[in-house]
Structure formats: structure tokens, C-alpha cells
Amino acid sequence: MATGEIAKVVPREEYRPRRHWGRIFGRQVLPRIVLIAGSIIFILPFYWMVVSALKTNAELTHTPPTLLPGVWAWDNFVKAVNYIPFGLYAFNSLIITLGATIGAVLSNTVVAYGFSRIQWRGRDKLFYLCVGTIFLPYPVVLVALVDTFGKLHWVNTFLPLIVPAFFGNPFYIFLMRQFMLGIPRELSDAARVDGAGELQTFWKVILPLTRPAVTVVALFAAVAAWNDFLGPLLYLHNENTYTLAIGLQFFRSTHDVSYNLLMAASTLVVLPIVILFLFAQRFFIEGITVGGVKG
């Protein structure tokens, strides 16, 4: 049989070049392997925290440590809540988080609207100056802030942790401005033709369209306020005003706290942030991706 006839009989798929499968592996399989490996690395600390929270004191001393609890001690969460004033610390953290989140949403959306939708002289230069403050180290202004809040008699109150959020954050302003620049200007022009003022245009036209970016700012502000340790450490000196972040550390350094109870309390501290992200992840991803490419 001739060579040409043999080529007709053999299936054509066997002649596909190997580099085709290599391209598929490099573009589809390999990135997924890297992402799965990275996810496992980031999940491991959280997994170990939850597993340690469900172990007994005796099992925590096992060598090598067990990957799963031999006895699931669910009552550790109840003991952790009762062992420290968890409810008081959680309430304080909630007040600070809500105040800081509301302040961040209100201030940054208004400032970003002025930088993106209103034409005025020197706007871009002032925006670049605002963004440049991101690179200003926090310790540079720390002493001045502590001195200012002390003279205002705000120490031992929640005001130093809430009020600054109402004056904007350069990163949040940048994120909101980039998102608003992606909104067609014709929408604002149409609102003005219909007789809407600048405030009405912002509230009824632009703000509803920036819901993903607002969600991202709210998430960032909430997580930062909930997990903040340095701020409460500097300004809150009364045990009744402690937040969860500083309260757990305080009891760890001054009391003989069992590590399984400490891990149980830490799990309860992290859990609200995880649940919040799961419910808002669609808006979070949309706000980050769209805000990052518009400009």
C-alpha cells in the first residue's frame, strides 16, 4: 500500500503536533495548578486555627500534631466566649467598624466624584498630590495624631478611630475615581439637561452605578477597622473600651489562656469577615477589576 494511502487510513488526530498540547497545558492546566497550590497555602493557617480550636488541651500537646481532632470539642467556643468579655469587645469592635465604614463610604464617594465628574482648575494636580500621600509612612504622622487627639480629649473614646474615616482615604479615593471615570459622561449631561443639580446628579445617577466600587470601599474599610490593633492600642486605655483585636492580646499576655480557647476566640473574630466577603464577593471582584482598568 502506498504512503499516501496509509495517511488516509490513519486517524488525523494522531498527527496533531505535540506543541498544541503543550500550549493547552501552559495556558489552562498550569495556571490552575498554581492557583490551587496558592489557595492551599493561604487556607492552611485558617484550617490550623479552626482545627486547634476544636481540640482538647491534651490533644494540643501531641507530637506530631494531629491533622484532625480525635475528640471534637465544640464547647471550646462557648468557653472562649465566657472566658473573656467577648460580647463587650465584639460590641466595641462593631461600633468602630460601622462608624469607620460609614465615614469611608460617605467621604470617599463625594471626593472621588469631585475628582472625576466636575471640571475645575487644578483638579488633576490636586488629585496627584492626594494619591501621593499613599506613600507617606504612617509613623511620620503618628506622633502628631496622638498629640492632636490628646489635646481634643478624645483618648479613651472611639472618636480617634472613627472620625478620621470621614476625611477620606487616598487609596479609596483613587479606586472610586477610576470607577467613576468609566461611567459615560452623557448620563451626567442628560441629568443636567433635565434640570438636575450637581448633588442630584451624584445621588440619583452616579452613586447607584458605582455600587460595586462602594462595596469594595466598604469591605476594605470594615476589614481594616475590625482588625485594627495599633489604633486601639494607642487610644483605648480602659479595659471597657477594648476591641477584640486588643482584648485577645491583652488576655493572652496577662492571663493563662488555653491555646485552644484562644484559637476558638480567634475563629469567631475572623468568621464575620469571611461571611461578609462571601456575600459581597461578586461586587468586590467587579469593583476591583473595573476600577483598575478605567482611567
Side-chain angles (χ1 to χ4, degrees):
M1 185 179 292
T3 305
E5 296 177 355
I6 295 177
K8 293 179 181 179
V9 175
V10 177
R12 191 174 179 180
E13 287 76 6
E14 296 185 8
Y15 290 92
R16 288 184 176 180
R18 293 183 178 179
R19 61 182 181 180
H20 173 72
W21 299 107
R23 188 162 52 250
I24 294 177
F25 178 82
R27 293 182 179 180
Q28 299 182 14
V29 180
L30 183 60
R32 286 170 171 79
I33 294 176
V34 174
L35 290 175
I36 292 173
S39 301
I40 293 175
I41 293 175
F42 281 99
I43 290 174
L44 274 178
F46 183 77
Y47 167 78
W48 194 252
M49 177 180 65
V50 175
V51 170
S52 300
L54 294 172
K55 291 181 179 180
T56 61
N57 281 326
E59 192 173 0
L60 283 175
T61 60
H62 283 184
T63 304
T66 56
L67 295 179
L68 289 174
V71 178
W72 297 79
W74 295 100
D75 59 335
N76 285 342
F77 292 97
V78 178
K79 293 178 181 178
V81 171
N82 296 326
Y83 195 83
I84 64 175
F86 190 91
L88 176 62
Y89 296 162
F91 180 73
N92 295 338
S93 296
L94 183 62
I95 292 177
I96 295 173
T97 301
L98 289 177
T101 303
I102 294 173
V105 171
L106 292 177
S107 61
N108 293 290
T109 51
V110 173
V111 176
Y113 180 81
F115 278 135
S116 61
R117 312 297 296 188
I118 303 176
Q119 296 291 340
W120 44 280
R121 187 176 181 180
R123 182 192 69 175
D124 294 338
K125 294 181 180 179
L126 187 59
F127 171 72
Y128 297 147
L129 179 63
C130 176
V131 174
T133 59
I134 295 177
F135 304 100
L136 189 66
Y138 184 68
V140 173
V141 298
L142 181 60
V143 176
L145 287 175
V146 173
D147 183 62
T148 301
F149 293 142
K151 292 179 179 179
L152 292 173
H153 303 288
W154 285 3
V155 178
N156 271 336
T157 68
F158 298 150
L159 293 178
L161 305 174
I162 297 176
V163 173
F166 286 84
F167 290 88
N169 180 287
F171 175 70
Y172 301 157
I173 293 172
F174 170 78
L175 187 66
M176 292 291 300
R177 175 184 179 271
Q178 297 303 104
F179 193 96
M180 290 182 181
L181 287 176
I183 300 175
R185 189 165 294 275
E186 289 78 8
L187 295 175
S188 300
D189 296 338
R192 294 188 183 95
V193 170
D194 291 338
E198 206 67 62
L199 184 60
Q200 289 178 313
T201 303
F202 165 73
W203 184 258
K204 295 183 178 181
V205 178
I206 302 300
L207 190 59
L209 297 176
T210 58
R211 184 172 58 176
V214 171
T215 303
V216 172
V217 170
L219 279 174
F220 279 158
V223 172
W226 184 265
N227 295 330
D228 187 20
F229 177 78
L230 181 59
L233 182 65
L234 291 173
Y235 303 119
L236 304 180
H237 303 157
N238 189 342
E239 187 176 344
N240 292 328
T241 61
Y242 282 173
T243 61
L244 283 173
I246 191 174
L248 291 177
Q249 181 63 29
F250 172 77
F251 268 81
R252 179 187 175 187
S253 59
T254 58
H255 295 74
D256 185 18
V257 181
S258 301
Y259 276 95
N260 55 351
L261 301 184
L262 186 63
M263 291 297 101
S266 301
T267 302
L268 295 176
V269 173
V270 175
L271 192 60
I273 301 298
V274 176
I275 296 175
L276 181 63
F277 176 78
L278 291 178
F279 278 100
Q281 61 177 328
R282 181 172 66 88
F283 297 108
F284 178 81
I285 296 173
E286 183 180 352
I288 288 292
T289 54
V290 176
V293 300
K294 299 294 183 181

